[in-house]
């Protein structure tokens, strides 16, 4: 297995400094870059382990703390095992953080992350891939729509509220996306009912975006997050297979 180097880095943005985790093969050479967007629970050991797994597969992975305006990670103190049903106060804490991260801020921050990767000696020249989880799936779509010249692939997993009536709904960004898109939806996700799944897929189709959207049977919202009560080992491994396949086609 490829040796992985993981470090904490700071990324200058228009609104301050975003702390982040950077993982890459330890061979000193540049590798294709992946921007990995967190779920609502934020930058924590599990997300770092996901970045390490991607880095071991040959990629340079950047995981920014997208809540940096509210402080450095961990912005919210979390238990080692996250069970929102047992600890409902967790969502009361992270909810305002999510609501404060508006699409315009997401797109502005994405520009900073992408510029940082373009200047990094461990990131290869050329376009990047973006993957996101839960709320991060929405961030990935916004990023691809706002920076089509920089984003060649988008992977989104157990995203919610992807196609709503909101004037800033993620599916409306499809018209600007040039990347290949793969989404793995959770069929036990109240945040993404069947009508939104169809609306999201239809928007990608109408925009001529090369894409595949699949529904993972029996999977709950958060199925990739092994430190939460929503985790599904079977769905998680399906996600890894799909994501690595997407990256192999991209790079």
């Amino acid at each position: 297995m490829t040796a992985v180097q993981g470090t904490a880095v700071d990324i200058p943005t228009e609104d301050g400094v975003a702390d982040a985790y950077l993982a890459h093969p330890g061979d000193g050479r540049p590798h294709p870059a992946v921007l990995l967007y967190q779920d609502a629970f934020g930058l924590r050991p599990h997300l770092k382990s996901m970045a390490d797994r991607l880095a071991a597969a040959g990629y340079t992975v950047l995981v920014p703390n997208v809540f940096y305006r509210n402080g450095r990670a961990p912005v919210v103190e979390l238990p080692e095992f996250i069970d929102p049903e047992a600890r409902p106060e967790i969502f009361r804490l992270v909810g305002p953080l999510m609501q404060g991260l508006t699409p315009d801020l997401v797109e502005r921050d994405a520009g900073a992350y992408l510029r940082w990767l373009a200047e990094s000696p461990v990131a290869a020249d050329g376009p990047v891939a973006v993957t996101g989880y839960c709320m991060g799936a929405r961030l990935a779509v916004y990023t691809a729509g706002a920076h089509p010249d920089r984003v060649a692939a988008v992977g989104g997993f157990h995203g919610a509220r992807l196609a709503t009536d909101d004037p800033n709904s993620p599916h409306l960004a499809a018209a600007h996306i040039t990347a290949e898109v793969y989404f793995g939806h959770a069929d036990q996700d109240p945040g993404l009912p069947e009508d939104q799944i169809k609306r999201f897929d239809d928007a990608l189709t109408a925009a001529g975006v090369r894409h595949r959207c699949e529904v993972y049977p029996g999977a709950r919202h958060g199925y990739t997050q092994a430190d939460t009560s929503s985790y599904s080992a079977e769905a998680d491994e399906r996600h890894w297979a799909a994501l690595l396949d997407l990256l192999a086609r991209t790079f």
Side-chain angles (χ1 to χ4, degrees):
M1 180 177 290
T2 302
V4 169
Q5 184 174 344
T7 55
V9 296
D10 285 341
I11 302 173
T13 75
E14 294 182 40
D15 298 320
V17 176
D19 52 309
Y21 179 71
L22 179 72
H24 58 89
D27 56 10
R29 293 184 291 138
H31 292 267
V34 179
L35 175 60
L36 191 158
Y37 280 128
Q38 65 179 61
D39 62 356
F41 301 130
L43 180 56
R44 60 193 192 281
H46 176 63
L47 285 184
K48 293 179 181 179
S49 71
M50 294 179 73
D52 289 347
R53 181 166 175 173
L54 278 178
Y59 302 100
T60 290
V61 187
L62 182 67
V63 191
N65 166 26
V66 301
F67 296 147
Y68 70 88
R69 292 176 180 82
N70 302 95
R72 297 179 73 85
V75 178
V76 173
E77 292 293 338
L78 297 167
E80 288 187 17
F81 183 75
I82 304 168
D83 183 353
E85 292 183 5
R87 298 280 299 276
E89 74 276 7
I90 292 174
F91 277 128
R92 290 199 295 269
L93 293 171
V94 301
L97 301 178
M98 290 190 290
Q99 293 166 10
L101 192 61
T102 57
D104 62 318
L105 295 181
V106 172
E107 293 172 4
R108 196 157 75 210
D109 289 346
Y113 306 147
L114 293 171
R115 283 192 298 274
W116 191 92
L117 283 169
E119 296 169 0
S120 171
V122 297
D125 292 339
V128 307
V130 184
T131 186
Y133 302 85
C134 299
M135 62 165 276
R138 294 200 304 276
L139 273 53
V141 174
Y142 288 137
T143 298
H147 303 277
D149 58 322
R150 291 284 287 124
V151 179
V154 175
F157 302 91
H158 46 81
R161 304 187 69 251
L162 294 174
T164 69
D165 293 330
D166 189 295
N168 290 316
S169 176
H171 78 287
L172 299 176
H176 308 290
I177 291 175
T178 58
E180 180 179 351
V181 173
Y182 176 89
F183 266 70
H185 305 307
D187 77 343
Q188 303 296 312
D189 190 349
L192 194 72
E194 287 186 20
D195 63 317
Q196 284 197 42
I197 291 175
K198 183 178 186 303
R199 193 176 191 181
F200 183 68
D201 190 89
D202 287 349
L204 294 170
T205 299
V209 176
R210 185 168 51 150
H211 71 283
R212 187 162 90 253
C213 295
E214 299 180 321
V215 178
Y216 292 14
R220 299 168 62 190
H221 182 78
Y223 61 76
T224 62
Q225 304 301 299
D227 60 349
T228 76
S229 56
S230 298
Y231 180 67
S232 164
E234 181 180 359
D236 185 29
E237 286 308 308
R238 180 174 176 180
H239 132 264
W240 279 112
L243 177 59
L244 290 171
D245 185 55
L246 173 68
L247 295 178
R249 291 196 303 274
T250 302
F251 300 119

